[in-house]
Every structure is written in structure tokens, then in C-alpha cells.
Amino acid sequence: MLTKYSSGVIICLRKLTICMGMVFLVFSVSGQEFLFKRNRQKQSIPFKCIKNLIVIPVYVDGKGPFDFVLDTGVGPMIITDPSIIDSLNFNMLRKIKVSGLGIETVEAYVSQSLDVKVGSAAIEHIPTAILKEDLFNLSGHLGLKIYGLLGYSFFNSFIVDIRYSENRLIIYDRDAKVKYRGKKISIEIENQKPYVIGNVELPDGNSVNARFLMDTGASHALSLEMLQGAEFPMPEKKIKANLGMSLSGQIKGYIGRVGKFSLGNYVFKDVVAGFPDFKTIAEKIDLSKRNGNLGADLLRKFNIQFNYEEGFIYVKPNGFSKAPFEHDMVGMVIYLDQKEYKRVLIGEIDENSPAEKAGLCPDDEIIGVNFKGVEGYTLNELTDLFKSKAERSVIFEIYRGKEVFFKVVRLEKRI
């Protein structure tokens, strides 16, 4: 969801990143926070984990629930579907500019009149950026209607315990007694986003400490953008890839593996990492505050307790911690049509990928996979299938130009 290159949301679907870099005019956030009613101290809230992203139910102005992505990579709340707000007069709202890779300017609108409720906790007049239309197509890429993103206001109001292994949050009043678990790691909150120091092994075998945005709204594991004012050193074995999609354009770069990545005392090997084109992003965003982005494919290997007020997290490995990092072995983006969510369409296809070799094309409609109608799969299940096993054959039934084709794709471990 992101740094300014990812200061909104990064969603990597087979390492697709929907990237929004937002330049917000000043929001007044002093004194605005979620509060429990009736002296409640904590609450457990179930969530859906879709392509590594946390989706929670949110009520806006008494209506809902609406599905929002819980995203440490955003500051003000972002509403991507304004239809959920009654009597919204854009002419009465202050405009802001949304900028990012591939765009010059897109208009959004500032509101501080909305009341929001999550579980038993509520906030009045939450700082909000409202898009006139769903420029991200989050719903299409997640296979679930998504209405917006919730970030800093939520995390800054509580001690937030994300239990990825249980698909639930536990939120605590900041004065509550909390039993912390695992390893304590310092974080810094800057521009309403959390940053952490990690250690990355370089291709020459040396290692370096680097500063990362912790981004629960990014479904990739790791994005490495800059080191000492230049592009981050890339491994010899890498592939060209469309790392993501800005509001109006593709982010080009490479995908490879990092030999070791350490967070605290925890070490991960052969981590899949994206290396966005340095020249392109350096022209658009300020990389002086960070070296990269730490996304949910790595974060979900822990249960994490966030304490923004005191500047630390606790991390404890969970059942996902030993699972290997895998890259999409098909080499294409799939998404649901925004108008007809039952239609599964092919988006970008990587150069020289198994999908390209098999003759699949952008805008093809997938109507079946392995002789089973596509309606029998979730996007999560298809994503897992595409990462499942090298040399496996996947048979696609494709609708193109009023004709039906069968295409066989042989999964390939490309990095």
C-alpha cells in the first residue's frame, strides 16, 4: 500500500505492487484517536488474510461493516470507494494531490468529518483522504470488495497485537497490562509510519544494516531500493519483472534472492526481493530516509505486537516462519474485472516467463484451471497454485476474441 514510493499501499500479487506515493497537505491529527467505550481495556478482532494482507471490518458514519486493509504504510485513512459516505459534496472538500511513479497528478479530497468504528473502539473526525474512484482496483486484485485503507490513527491509538497464525488482532488500551512475547526490537515512527533496522547480506558476501519501512499493506517480502545513494546491489541471478503498478504506469525492475536477511536475532535465507529501477524511483521519491520496504510476506512469519507510543515491537516466530520464500512460477498478474467480479482477467505478463512462452496474453479471460471452472477458486488459491512446485503443468482454459483456447503452462522456478 509504501515509502513515498510506498507511502500508501504496496500490494504484491506474484510480486505485483500497487504503489501509491501520496503527498499530503497537513492533516491536524493532534488529540484524535480511537477510544474504547465503557472502560474496556482490550478486544480480539478476527481478520481475513488475503495475499498476506490484513482485511478488517470497519464502520463509517454508522454504516457497514466495510472491508478495509489494515496498513502500517499509510498515514491518514484512505477511502477508495466514496459510495459508502452519505451526502458527500466534493465541491466542499479541500483537494490534495496524489503523486507517484508513472503519474503527474491525481486529485483526492481531504475530510475530517467522518466517524469510524472498529470493534468496540471509535474515533471522531478521523483524518481521511478520499479518492473519487477506486484507482487502485484493490478489490479486483484481492478478489474481495475493499473500501479503503486504515493506518496510523489505528496503530497510534492502541498496542496492536497481530497474530498472523490465528488470523486475529488483539488491541489493547495503551494503559492496559500487556504480556509481551518474543524479541523486543526498536522502531521509529516518522511521518506516521514505522521504520526498523534489518541486516541484508550483499551479493559479495558482506552484510549491511539498512532502514526499512514496515509495511503490512505490502504483500511482498522485501523491496530493496537504495544503498549509499545508488541502486541496491543486485544478485547475479535475477529476472526482469513488472514489480508493480502505480496509479497509471508500470514499475519496472528485477526480482532476485537475498542470501540472508536478519531482523533482530532472527535470520531468513533465500528471501525473494524486488529491486525497482533506481533511476525511475529516485526521480519521483525521497529515498534519503530508507533503504527499502519490509512487506507482509516476511512480517507474517511472526506474531507482532506494535507499540507506536513507546517505539518498539515484539516479534515471535509462528508456524509460517519455516516456510520457504517462493516467487510466482507463472509470470503474470491476474485480477477480477471491476465491473463483473466473476471474470478473472490476465494483466501484465513478464518477459520470457512461462506464461509468455505458453502464448497467454494480457486481457485474456481465464474461465478454467486444470479442467475446473475458475469460479471454483479464490484468487488466494490461484496465487498459491502458481507458486506451488517447479515443473508442474497448469492447464488454463482461456476466452479470447469469442474463442476458447487451452494453454498449458509449465511452472518454472526462475530465481
Side-chain angles (χ1 to χ4, degrees):
M1 274 230 9
L2 332 191
T3 77
K4 287 185 186 170
Y5 149 62
S6 38
S7 63
V9 59
I10 296 182
I11 299 178
C12 300
L13 319 170
R14 84 129 248 298
K15 295 322 173 217
L16 168 70
T17 304
I18 298 174
C19 170
M20 176 178 73
M22 284 197 163
V23 180
F24 286 104
L25 300 181
V26 176
F27 279 90
S28 174
V29 297
S30 178
Q32 291 170 318
E33 61 184 30
F34 282 88
L35 296 171
F36 282 124
K37 294 182 179 180
R38 301 182 185 89
N39 297 318
R40 188 165 190 157
Q41 292 285 295
K42 71 175 185 178
Q43 185 173 20
S44 177
I45 299 172
F47 65 81
K48 302 166 189 170
C49 191
I50 304 177
K51 297 185 178 175
N52 297 330
L53 305 188
I54 298 167
V55 179
I56 62 170
V58 174
Y59 289 82
V60 179
D61 284 347
K63 296 170 58 181
F66 303 109
D67 282 324
F68 274 59
V69 173
L70 189 61
D71 186 353
T72 54
V74 299
M77 185 174 79
I78 300 168
I79 289 180
T80 56
D81 186 341
S83 68
I84 66 176
I85 306 171
D86 291 326
S87 304
L88 185 63
N89 185 349
F90 284 104
N91 293 326
M92 300 297 292
L93 298 177
R94 182 159 57 102
K95 291 181 183 179
I96 60 175
K97 291 182 179 180
V98 178
S99 65
L101 302 178
I103 71 169
E104 293 304 321
T105 196
V106 172
E107 290 181 347
Y109 297 82
V110 174
S111 171
Q112 290 186 267
S113 64
L114 301 178
D115 298 335
V116 167
K117 184 171 173 283
V118 177
S120 298
I123 183 173
E124 296 180 348
H125 311 308
I126 185 171
T128 306
I130 303 169
L131 303 181
K132 290 186 73 171
E133 57 183 308
D134 185 2
L135 299 170
F136 302 118
N137 188 19
L138 295 179
S139 303
H141 288 291
L142 294 184
L144 179 74
K145 182 62 177 175
I146 300 294
Y147 292 88
L149 312 166
L150 183 61
Y152 176 78
S153 295
F154 185 83
F155 282 91
N156 194 51
S157 299
F158 305 109
I159 298 166
V160 180
D161 186 345
I162 300 178
R163 302 194 177 184
Y164 281 104
S165 59
E166 303 171 19
N167 281 2
R168 70 183 177 115
L169 309 170
I170 302 177
I171 55 175
Y172 296 87
D173 185 90
R174 288 190 301 229
D175 295 326
K177 291 183 179 180
V178 178
K179 183 178 180 180
Y180 290 104
R181 306 175 313 280
K183 170 73 175 177
K184 184 179 181 180
I185 299 174
S186 296
I187 61 172
E188 290 183 284
I189 307 301
E190 187 172 315
N191 294 328
Q192 303 184 0
K193 302 172 188 70
Y195 292 84
V196 69
I197 300 299
N199 185 271
V200 184
E201 183 180 80
L202 302 176
D204 63 6
N206 292 316
S207 63
V208 61
N209 285 335
R211 192 172 190 247
F212 294 91
L213 170 65
M214 294 186 71
D215 197 345
T216 62
S219 64
H220 63 238
L222 200 59
S223 177
L224 298 172
E225 300 153 0
M226 183 272 293
L227 185 64
Q228 299 177 347
E231 69 179 10
F232 212 100
M234 288 184 280
E236 183 177 348
K237 187 175 183 180
K238 57 188 180 293
I239 56 173
K240 279 187 177 181
N242 295 304
L243 293 182
M245 190 169 62
S246 71
L247 295 177
S248 65
Q250 287 296 318
I251 302 165
K252 304 294 184 180
Y254 292 87
I255 290 176
R257 289 185 182 269
V258 169
K260 291 181 183 178
F261 176 83
S262 303
L263 185 64
N265 292 332
Y266 303 110
V267 180
F268 298 92
K269 296 181 179 181
D270 295 326
V271 180
V272 173
F275 298 83
D277 180 74
F278 177 75
K279 183 178 179 181
T280 300
I281 64 172
E283 289 174 353
K284 290 286 185 179
I285 63 174
D286 179 12
L287 293 177
S288 63
K289 304 294 186 182
R290 55 180 268 183
N291 302 101
N293 177 288
L294 182 57
D297 195 31
L298 195 149
L299 295 176
R300 73 188 292 266
K301 294 179 181 295
F302 300 102
N303 290 340
I304 308 176
Q305 295 165 294
F306 284 89
N307 189 323
Y308 272 29
E309 184 178 46
E310 297 186 38
F312 64 80
I313 58 174
Y314 270 78
V315 296
K316 184 177 181 180
N318 58 33
F320 301 122
S321 63
K322 300 299 184 183
F325 295 91
E326 288 298 352
H327 176 51
D328 159 48
M329 300 184 199
V330 173
M332 69 183 184
V333 175
I334 60 171
Y335 64 96
L336 298 188
D337 185 275
Q338 274 188 293
K339 295 179 180 179
E340 301 178 49
Y341 283 124
K342 294 182 180 179
R343 298 181 66 223
V344 179
L345 303 178
I346 295 176
E348 291 293 318
I349 294 179
D350 289 345
E351 179 183 328
N352 201 35
S353 65
E356 184 182 75
K357 294 173 184 176
L360 295 173
C361 298
D363 300 322
D364 282 350
E365 179 181 352
I366 301 173
I367 58 177
V369 177
N370 289 341
F371 304 108
K372 176 180 175 181
V374 75
E375 66 278 1
Y377 296 91
T378 65
L379 288 186
N380 253 356
E381 289 169 340
L382 290 175
T383 300
D384 290 343
L385 175 62
F386 297 169
K387 294 180 178 181
S388 59
K389 187 178 180 181
E391 307 302 323
R392 169 178 286 175
S393 292
V394 178
I395 302 171
F396 290 90
E397 188 175 1
I398 298 296
Y399 181 74
R400 180 198 303 164
K402 298 184 180 181
E403 294 186 71
V404 174
F405 302 86
F406 285 90
K407 300 289 185 181
V408 179
V409 176
R410 194 173 181 84
L411 303 189
E412 179 184 337
K413 193 166 185 173
R414 296 177 288 157
I415 56 171

